[in-house]
Amino acid sequence: MVELRSRSAPGGENKLDHQMSSDKNTDSEKKGVKGDVQNILVLLFLYILQGIPLGLAAAIPLILTNRNVSYKQQAEFSFSYWPFSVKLLWAPIVDSCFVKSFGRRKSWLVPIQYLIGVTMYVLSHNVNYYLGEPEPGAEEGATSEPREPNLTMLTAMFFFLNFLAATQDIAVDGWALTMLQKHNVGYASTCNSVGQTAGYFMGYVFFMALESYGYVTLPGFLKFWAVVFTIATTLVAVLKHEKEEDFSQHEDSEEIGDLGVVDTYKLLVSILKLGVMPATIAMLLTSKIGFAATDAVTGLKLVEKGVPKDKLAMLAIPMIPLQIILPWVISKYTSGPRPMDVFTKAIPARLAMGPVMAWLVY
């Protein structure tokens, strides 16, 4: 059939050769991550930056444990993590409002990361005061009443910092879809998991270890990352360019490319109305209730019993390689028709660890 068509049509042989060569090119492009190595490294670095504020926020409760802060006040500080849980509320704004000449994702990524750097720098000058540290200029031997940590300001500052990090996450997630080739888009979630874990490790475990041995202070650590965020953002703004998003191959190309804020929210509502969503939302909202107390209080109780903060932070080190390697190992299960099976099967095991941790603490 191919031979008849190529002979009957003028230039048919050339067209057939062109089609076969293009198919070969497509097959060669789809092998491995060739052509996307640099993009994967950029995504990985951006996700590492995203994990730094999360790690620092996790270190604050351990620092507050030795400052007569009640568990109720510790619970109030946990509100600083909420932006990552509710970022869906402003994600359509990030996706719809942008400066086309600068780039759809860079319009948000660049100013947000600059704001993270500025916030960290401002926080570095005030964090000791919020933590109730004595004034650095106080004379030795002078007695002064200990100040209570200002939990309200600490919570507000880290809430804002995590709000910026969550917005950066929205922009990077969207950019990954166009930065990577179609057959490599699955690596975006791996970069997210690995990069955010590595950033969390540096902001929490690495900082707590250095701080315990007197090599670094929280203000100094914040200043360092403020500089890193500023330099990294400048390099991304100048050197990394966005690809134009091509919607021509979509059936609804006229609608997809021109969705405004209102239309994007309407699309979000329509997705939430899908039959599978109520059960999914209910499961995600309630799945962690059974082990929330174990996860949140175990470390604090161990510090209260006299376990050094640096030793407690070091317990997380063996988990870091596992958290980095595990997403690669289970990706073949999570990319199939039932991606939530691994998640649901892990819940009973986590519930079973609750009594074990309670016994260990008490």
Side-chain angles (χ1 to χ4, degrees):
M1 182 68 71
V2 171
E3 290 180 0
L4 290 173
R5 288 180 179 176
S6 62
R7 290 175 182 175
S8 60
E13 186 175 348
N14 294 334
K15 290 181 180 179
L16 180 61
D17 292 341
H18 177 73
Q19 180 67 33
M20 292 175 65
S21 63
S22 64
D23 291 341
K24 289 180 180 179
N25 291 336
T26 302
D27 292 339
S28 62
E29 287 177 0
K30 291 186 178 181
K31 292 181 180 179
V33 296
K34 186 177 180 180
D36 269 339
V37 174
Q38 183 182 9
N39 293 329
I40 289 175
L41 291 177
V42 170
L43 287 174
L44 191 63
F45 180 66
L46 291 175
Y47 283 122
I48 288 173
L49 293 180
Q50 183 187 123
I52 299 298
L54 292 173
L56 287 171
I60 294 299
L62 291 182
I63 296 174
L64 291 173
T65 303
N66 295 331
R67 288 172 169 78
N68 298 321
V69 175
S70 65
Y71 289 150
K72 179 182 178 181
Q73 291 174 304
Q74 298 272 20
E76 292 173 1
F77 181 77
S78 67
F79 279 104
S80 62
Y81 290 101
W82 271 41
F84 272 89
S85 300
V86 297
K87 63 182 180 181
L88 189 66
L89 297 178
W90 65 90
I93 299 175
V94 176
D95 192 61
S96 303
C97 302
F98 56 93
V99 180
K100 189 174 182 179
S101 59
F102 188 52
R104 183 170 191 164
R105 311 304 173 183
K106 285 170 65 176
S107 296
W108 286 91
L109 180 69
V110 172
I112 286 296
Q113 288 198 169
Y114 276 133
L115 271 175
I116 292 176
V118 171
T119 304
M120 283 185 165
Y121 185 78
V122 172
L123 187 58
S124 69
H125 288 279
N126 299 281
V127 68
N128 280 342
Y129 178 79
Y130 298 150
L131 288 171
E133 295 280 358
E135 295 293 336
E139 297 180 1
E140 293 187 6
T143 58
S144 58
E145 295 184 2
R147 292 184 292 105
E148 290 187 2
N150 191 336
L151 261 297
T152 301
M153 283 303 302
L154 272 176
T155 304
M157 290 297 294
F158 276 94
F159 182 92
F160 182 64
L161 200 57
N162 284 332
F163 168 78
L164 295 175
T167 307
Q168 186 250 26
D169 181 46
I170 297 169
V172 177
D173 287 347
W175 197 0
L177 299 178
T178 56
M179 187 185 297
L180 300 175
Q181 299 176 56
K182 286 185 178 180
H183 62 278
N184 287 329
V185 168
Y187 285 100
S189 59
T190 303
C191 290
N192 186 319
S193 177
V194 174
Q196 199 175 96
T197 300
Y200 182 89
F201 171 81
M202 287 189 283
Y204 174 45
V205 180
F206 188 62
F207 163 71
M208 292 301 297
L210 293 179
E211 191 263 350
S212 297
Y213 289 104
Y215 293 130
V216 71
T217 62
L218 183 55
F221 197 75
L222 286 166
K223 286 181 182 177
F224 170 78
W225 284 107
V227 173
V228 171
F229 266 92
T230 303
I231 295 175
T233 305
T234 303
L235 292 175
V236 170
V238 175
L239 301 179
K240 189 63 180 174
H241 302 285
E242 288 191 52
K243 300 176 184 176
E244 289 191 13
E245 299 185 37
D246 183 15
F247 301 102
S248 59
Q249 297 182 356
H250 292 270
E251 296 179 359
D252 301 327
S253 58
E254 294 182 0
E255 299 178 4
I256 294 176
D258 299 322
L259 284 179
V261 177
V262 176
D263 292 329
T264 306
Y265 275 107
K266 288 181 179 178
L267 179 61
L268 176 61
V269 172
S270 66
I271 293 173
L272 293 176
K273 289 181 179 179
L274 295 175
V276 71
M277 293 306 294
T280 303
I281 293 172
M283 183 189 68
L284 293 176
L285 288 177
T286 59
S287 61
K288 293 187 177 182
I289 292 177
F291 42 81
T294 303
D295 292 350
V297 181
T298 300
L300 301 178
K301 293 297 291 186
L302 289 174
V303 172
E304 187 181 279
K305 297 293 184 180
V307 177
K309 292 179 293 183
D310 60 314
K311 302 299 182 184
L312 184 61
M314 291 298 178
L315 292 177
I317 291 181
M319 294 298 298
I320 300 301
L322 182 63
Q323 291 174 330
I324 292 175
I325 296 172
L326 195 59
W328 296 87
V329 175
I330 67 173
S331 59
K332 62 180 179 180
Y333 303 106
T334 58
S335 60
R338 299 179 63 86
M340 295 297 291
D341 279 356
V342 177
F343 178 80
T344 54
K345 290 177 181 178
I347 291 178
R350 293 196 67 181
L351 290 173
M353 287 301 297
V356 176
M357 299 307 294
W359 173 81
L360 178 65
V361 170
Y362 292 100

